[in-house]
Amino acid sequence: LLVGARDAGRRELGAEHEKTLKAAGGLAIVFNQTGRKEEAEELYRATYDAQKKKLGDDHPGTLSSASNLAILLKQTDRKEEAEELYRATYDARKKKLGDDHPQTLSSAGNLGALLDEKAQKLDEDGASDPAALARIYSEAADMLAFSQSLSQSPSLSQFAAKDEDVLRCRKRAAELAGN
């Protein structure tokens, strides 16, 4: 159905029309959810690039595509590239939509969760710079705590960080900092 919508959009509206790009983004989500990661990535990247060109870097559709691509990159263990996209998306949403917008809070949660995973992995591997590791844990805790505002919205509460994640990150940062 989404393939048909995308193809019809290309024929009738053009490949770079906002509705065509939205259908392509939806198809990429379906591909990702059904394990077709390579096809999903190809569509995410094409959609994201076209939206940046057509709609601008800070358009909500462009930012959603960036976030979806970052999710796939994280899932496929390309966490550095995912972190770059999560940071860019968070910063753009914060600037464009404000601190309290659900999409900004969701971006903070995504970035916080990725940083938490990064810190835990570095910790397990015996990171050589405790101060740098403490900063990563602290930033993860800050992002996760910030995203907890999502818990006030019933439809978004599933994406909110848990208190224990924030506390665990803060505790480990303090331990590493010698506090």
Side-chain angles (χ1 to χ4, degrees), residues 77-172:
D77 209 30
R78 290 178 284 164
K79 293 186 170 119
E80 287 184 28
E81 191 178 356
E83 183 179 340
E84 288 177 30
L85 269 175
Y86 278 144
R87 284 186 187 282
T89 302
Y90 168 72
D91 290 342
R93 283 178 168 168
K94 185 174 181 179
K95 182 178 178 183
K96 179 95 174 176
L97 304 172
D99 285 346
D100 295 333
H101 193 280
Q103 290 179 353
T104 304
L105 298 169
S106 176
S107 291
N110 287 338
L111 178 57
L114 180 83
L115 291 171
D116 183 17
E117 287 180 25
K118 177 181 181 177
Q120 288 182 60
K121 176 76 170 118
L122 290 169
D123 217 353
E124 290 169 8
D125 292 346
S128 60
D129 186 351
L133 185 55
R135 285 190 297 275
I136 297 169
Y137 270 118
S138 290
E139 185 180 10
D142 291 345
M143 287 290 151
L144 292 170
F146 180 65
S147 75
Q148 285 183 335
S149 301
L150 285 171
S151 63
Q152 296 173 7
S153 170
S155 63
L156 298 173
S157 62
Q158 68 197 25
F159 300 110
K162 295 177 175 55
D163 286 336
E164 58 263 20
D165 293 331
V166 175
L167 294 174
R168 179 184 39 75
C169 287
R170 291 212 192 284
K171 179 180 177 189
R172 186 63 182 134

Side-chain angles (χ1 to χ4, degrees), residues 8-23:
R10 282 182 181 162
R11 279 191 312 277
E12 295 175 26
L13 302 171
E16 292 189 355
H17 189 279
E18 190 172 353
K19 289 182 180 180
T20 305
L21 294 172
K22 187 173 183 172

Side-chain angles (χ1 to χ4, degrees), residues 4-68:
R6 181 203 56 190
D7 293 345
R10 282 182 181 162
R11 279 191 312 277
E12 295 175 26
L13 302 171
E16 292 189 355
H17 189 279
E18 190 172 353
K19 289 182 180 180
T20 305
L21 294 172
K22 187 173 183 172
L27 181 58
I29 290 169
V30 171
F31 283 165
N32 189 26
Q33 291 174 342
T34 57
R36 296 165 65 178
K37 303 290 185 192
E38 289 178 18
E39 292 168 286
E41 182 177 351
E42 184 179 314
L43 260 178
Y44 278 140
R45 287 190 188 278
T47 301
Y48 177 52
D49 290 342
Q51 286 175 318
K52 283 194 305 187
K53 180 180 167 187
K54 179 81 173 174
L55 306 173
D57 289 347
D58 65 349
H59 185 277
T62 305
L63 296 172
S64 289
S65 291
S67 182
N68 289 334

